[in-house]
Amino acid sequence: MRRQYCTYCNSEAITRVPERGVKLCRDHFVQFFETEIENVIERYQMLQGVRRLLIAVSGGKDSIALLHVLRKISERRGIDLVGATIDLGIEGYSEHCVEISRRHYERLGVPYLIVKLEDYGFTIDKAKKYEKSVRPVCSVCGLVKRYLLNKVALELNCDAIATGHNLVDVAQYMVANFLSGSLDALLKLRPVTRGEDLLVTRVRPFFFMHERYIELYVNILGLEYVSERCPYSMRGAEGRDMPFQEYLRTVLLELDLRYPGTLYRSVHSFVRNVLPVLERLSVRRGERVGRCAICGMPTQEEGRVCAFCKIRDILSKAN
Ligand code: SF4
Ligand code: ZN
Ligand code: ZN
């Protein structure tokens, strides 16, 4: 195969970036990656007024890459960075996720907190066991992560929470919710969700970053991450066993491979052209926010119990 050269120097290119129409060597790729993230942070004013930032680290490639990039950026801007890892209690998996996250925090000198779900009376293993009578395990898991990260951010006085959702996650969510006509869900799809009441601002610096580049970044820097899948993930299932969401992700990745840059352009155009229209059209239905009678966190159901406390109550009592 013919050698390809970096657009900016004479070194050998290790990747093409069709979204930018360039080929990059190792060093220029790292520079491109970090600059791109900083530009997105600037464009969407993700860190404006932020003095202390909580970063959610699961141990996977996305959050490990984010931890490394944000450590540099927060240091330059004088922002206190604090890490939070939730030990979900998935036997044979969570221990590894916690261990890898811990090693990165310590190597980088980032203060951190490991939150054990077990301390709340249940684990994700238990949620799996009772998923038929509660709700699908991944739905419980998502809820638990959102709730606990917000709680930790409030307790630690953090002004924002950063998560590692990447371009492919965003595109998948966008198309799935278009297909089901879930406009309310689409309205939540944005690089920054400004905080209100007791809900802390959420920022997603990898919103426009393809997972391919994130993988390349961690590999170039030689960063270890959890590469095995959660045992409850359906990723990797094949043929007719493949669930809808996974099939959709595969189709989107194939589309992007055949027509490079499609996901990037689609997500950009969604944020620029579609989101403002949805915002204008949206009738904020039934958004009476009340307080949970048990934990005091905001809940849609006035005077009721929030979804986390409901699940906690059922699962902590189950044998
Ligand atoms: Fe949680 Fe595992 Fe489901 Fe991911 S695949 S949401 S870690 S239970
Ligand atoms: Zn170069
Ligand atoms: Zn509650």
Side-chain angles (χ1 to χ4, degrees), residues 147 291-299 304-310:
Y147 179 92
R291 295 263 188 248
C292 168
I294 297 177
C295 71
M297 289 303 290
T299 172
R304 296 263 191 87
V305 172
C306 77
F308 178 84
C309 288
K310 270 185 205 158

Side-chain angles (χ1 to χ4, degrees), residues 143-154:
L143 175 87
V144 158
K145 289 182 216 164
R146 279 192 302 279
Y147 179 92
L148 291 179
L149 286 172
N150 193 70
K151 185 170 185 290
V152 171
L154 286 174

Side-chain angles (χ1 to χ4, degrees), residues 2-17 21-32:
R2 216 160 54 86
R3 271 178 145 227
Q4 308 252 15
Y5 291 94
C6 174
T7 307
Y8 301 111
C9 69
N10 286 330
S11 310
E12 191 173 350
I14 55 156
T15 189
R16 284 178 59 233
V17 181
V22 291
K23 294 181 207 120
L24 299 175
C25 67
R26 188 182 179 282
D27 291 351
H28 278 113
F29 172 76
V30 171
Q31 201 182 84
F32 150 79

